[in-house]
Amino acid sequence: MDAALLTLAEMGEADRLTIAAGTPGIVLMERAAEAIAETVLARYPGAERVACLAGPGNNGGDAYAAAAILLRAGREVRLFHLVPPEKLQGDAANAAAAYDGPAEPLAAFDAQSFDLVIDGLFGAGLARPLEGEVAELVERLNAAATPVVAIDLPSGISGASGAVLGTAVEAEATVTFFRRKPGHLLEPGRSHCGAVAVSDIGVLSTALETIAPKCFENRPALWRHRLAVPSDAGHKYDRGHAVVFSGPASRTGAARLAATAALRAGAGLVTMFSPAGAVLVNAAHLTAVMLKRCEDTDELASHLGDTRLNAFVLGPGFGAGETARAYAEAVLAAGGRLVLDADGISSFKDDPEALFAAARAASEARGDSEPALVLTPHSGEFKRLFPDIASAEGLSKLDQARLAAERACAVVVLKGRDTVIAAPDGRAAINATGTPWLATAGSGDVLSGIVAAQLAQGTPSFEAAAAAVWMHGKAAEAFGAGLIAEDLPGMLPKVFAGLEATGP
């Protein structure tokens, strides 16, 4: 549960349960202030002149309490309030009463006069755009060179979606408490947060058992217990047999990227199904990956009689159209687990319900509700299958992926810097691994192969997709600058070694 991402309501419930168990709210606020002050003193030891911006709620109370601690630590602190302290309520009013340093209206704030600014205006609960005086102040703050430490979330960022509500503070660091919120990882919130520190302020960890969150940061603790581990007495057939469909002779590279990645990611065997015209091209490049001709649905049906073939990748370089649709439906009908990407997704843009119906039937045939289909779209491909969801106002990327997964009876991997992995049952994970160098041709093909490798080894679909996305990002981090897609599979051994070394 360390990886749980909490909604505003869930965080409020965690606070309520903690207070009901005997920890006063003001104690939680004082501990939060201590965490803020510790971050400031450690990260900005030379910041003598500190401005604290206090809003009307508990974030403002945190700002008052942190200002008091920094005053005692010898910093020159001035506090600027959006609401006069006498109008505050509850714990925030108590924190303001305990602060005896300089306090002025927000209009008097000038970022250029300070070495550091603490943003305690609004936190994760902000529900409407910043306007007027506050919006103008945020714009001036962002234009200044003064570093900002945000309390909970930068003001103007939605904790639920990461969206900018009107305008938002651009922080160098953010201090949040107990658990992150989705807005810490979803863009553009993630970029506005800077470095995020999660502080333990004494909120009951057992509260998570009551809350039962269903959204998580994508970390190994979420899925490593479901990964297959090669045994000393095992053999290649224990690790599954993945299949990648090749496109025509002039477009075979994407499929080979996926096949190589599947082999590197742990599939015991990998075969490429190739149209006749591309067999010689593929044969010239493949060594450990096997090759079979697959010219039409009749040949595919013959191959699918071999039940050892248990995970398939369709789409990379394949070409969009009727053949891709027929192959996808045939694989699902035969009981195979299918990763559909790129051209495979686009092939169903005129009749997405045909794909969803095939996925539902495959899941029902399994008898265990396990999705047989994994979709790995970028935003453009997502819009082709789910145009209404993609264009609906007010939906976050997390919302979109969840709705799509439920509709499609599939695990949906909605790609990007903040890739979201969602299952039909509402579980979701937001990824935080990777580098900007992943934005390169063929990177998604490699990801499809890594997903297929986990499926081939029997990993459940949600955990297989989440693990693959994490590994894909870690492989990019291991290589560094100058990455191209061909480099990613070769980095996977380092990723596995690191996974084994670090444990959960």
Side-chain angles (χ1 to χ4, degrees):
M1 285 288 192
D2 285 349
L5 299 174
L6 302 186
T7 65
L8 177 64
E10 289 169 342
M11 188 66 225
E13 179 66 1
D15 285 342
R16 187 193 69 78
L17 291 169
T18 301
I19 293 169
T23 302
I26 189 63
V27 171
L28 295 177
M29 185 168 285
E30 289 168 349
R31 291 173 180 169
E34 289 169 3
I36 296 159
E38 287 174 5
T39 296
V40 168
L41 295 173
R43 192 177 178 94
Y44 303 97
E48 293 295 331
R49 298 167 300 164
V50 180
C52 292
L53 310 182
N58 281 346
N59 256 45
D62 293 341
Y64 274 101
I69 295 171
L70 291 170
L71 269 178
R72 293 194 295 270
R75 296 296 186 268
E76 181 185 335
V77 178
R78 289 170 63 190
L79 185 138
F80 300 88
H81 50 70
L82 180 59
V83 174
E86 61 270 18
K87 292 189 176 181
L88 295 175
Q89 298 180 348
D91 295 327
N94 293 332
Y99 171 71
D100 58 3
E104 306 166 61
L106 199 63
F109 171 67
D110 177 11
Q112 303 286 1
S113 302
F114 298 93
D115 303 318
L116 179 72
V117 176
I118 296 176
D119 167 27
L121 291 172
F122 300 98
L126 185 67
R128 57 186 176 83
L130 299 184
E131 298 174 337
E133 174 192 11
V134 175
E136 292 174 4
L137 179 145
V138 168
E139 293 293 337
R140 292 197 306 272
L141 177 57
N142 288 342
T146 310
V148 179
V149 174
I151 298 174
D152 191 24
L153 269 166
S155 293
I157 294 296
S158 165
S161 68
V164 172
L165 301 176
T167 188
V169 169
E170 297 171 0
E172 277 194 6
T174 296
V175 182
T176 193
F177 315 106
F178 185 51
R179 295 294 185 273
R180 288 178 172 85
K181 289 76 178 177
H184 287 114
L185 295 182
L186 292 171
E187 290 289 2
R190 178 173 164 184
S191 292
H192 278 255
C193 286
V196 178
V198 182
S199 297
D200 180 2
I201 59 172
V203 176
L204 291 176
S205 60
T206 53
L208 293 174
E209 298 172 10
T210 301
I211 295 166
K214 299 189 80 172
C215 183
F216 304 88
E217 180 181 348
N218 189 21
R219 296 187 199 166
L222 185 63
W223 38 260
R224 66 177 302 150
H225 62 291
R226 304 302 297 268
L227 293 187
V229 178
S231 67
D232 291 342
H235 50 74
K236 60 189 177 185
Y237 295 104
D238 293 334
R239 291 162 59 187
H241 193 154
V243 173
V244 178
F245 288 92
S246 169
S250 61
R251 295 201 303 269
T252 56
R256 288 198 300 274
L257 283 171
T260 301
L263 203 57
R264 279 289 189 192
L269 303 97
V270 178
T271 293
M272 184 175 292
F273 283 2
S274 173
V279 167
L280 291 179
V281 175
N282 282 317
H285 291 275
L286 299 177
T287 305
V289 174
M290 296 176 287
L291 182 63
K292 282 190 176 182
R293 195 185 86 161
C294 186
E295 184 66 23
D296 52 35
T297 53
D298 289 337
E299 285 194 341
L300 176 59
S302 175
H303 295 325
L304 291 176
D306 184 350
T307 57
R308 294 174 299 179
L309 307 176
N310 60 347
F312 298 77
V313 176
L314 175 61
F318 188 82
E322 182 179 347
T323 300
R325 292 193 299 273
Y327 280 17
E329 291 171 356
V331 167
L332 291 170
R337 302 172 76 185
L338 175 63
V339 183
L340 199 66
D341 186 28
D343 291 340
I345 292 172
S346 298
S347 294
F348 285 93
K349 66 182 177 64
D350 294 328
D351 188 10
E353 184 52 42
L355 174 64
F356 307 157
R360 282 193 294 271
S363 181
E364 291 168 0
R366 291 178 61 88
D368 56 6
S369 300
E370 178 65 25
L373 177 63
V374 178
L375 299 170
T376 59
H378 56 56
S379 59
E381 292 159 350
F382 183 88
K383 189 174 183 178
R384 289 168 201 150
L385 281 188
F386 309 98
D388 57 329
I389 295 175
S391 60
E393 291 186 9
L395 292 182
S396 70
K397 186 172 185 177
L398 176 61
D399 296 331
Q400 291 178 342
R402 278 176 157 160
L403 288 171
E406 182 180 14
R407 179 183 296 178
C409 194
V411 170
V412 172
V413 179
L414 184 48
K415 295 184 290 195
R417 183 176 187 238
D418 54 351
T419 295
V420 176
I421 307 99
D425 61 9
R427 286 177 298 159
I430 305 173
N431 196 58
T433 63
T435 76
W437 289 94
L438 276 173
T440 185
S443 173
D445 306 324
V446 173
L447 174 61
S448 294
I450 302 173
V451 177
Q454 308 316 312
L455 295 177
Q457 295 173 86
T459 305
S461 299
F462 176 72
E463 287 83 356
V469 170
W470 185 89
M471 293 173 187
H472 186 249
K474 281 294 183 182
E477 293 174 11
F479 187 88
L483 173 79
I484 59 175
E486 288 94 322
D487 301 317
L488 288 166
M491 293 294 105
L492 289 172
K494 288 187 177 182
V495 173
F496 282 111
L499 193 58
E500 292 172 358
T502 56

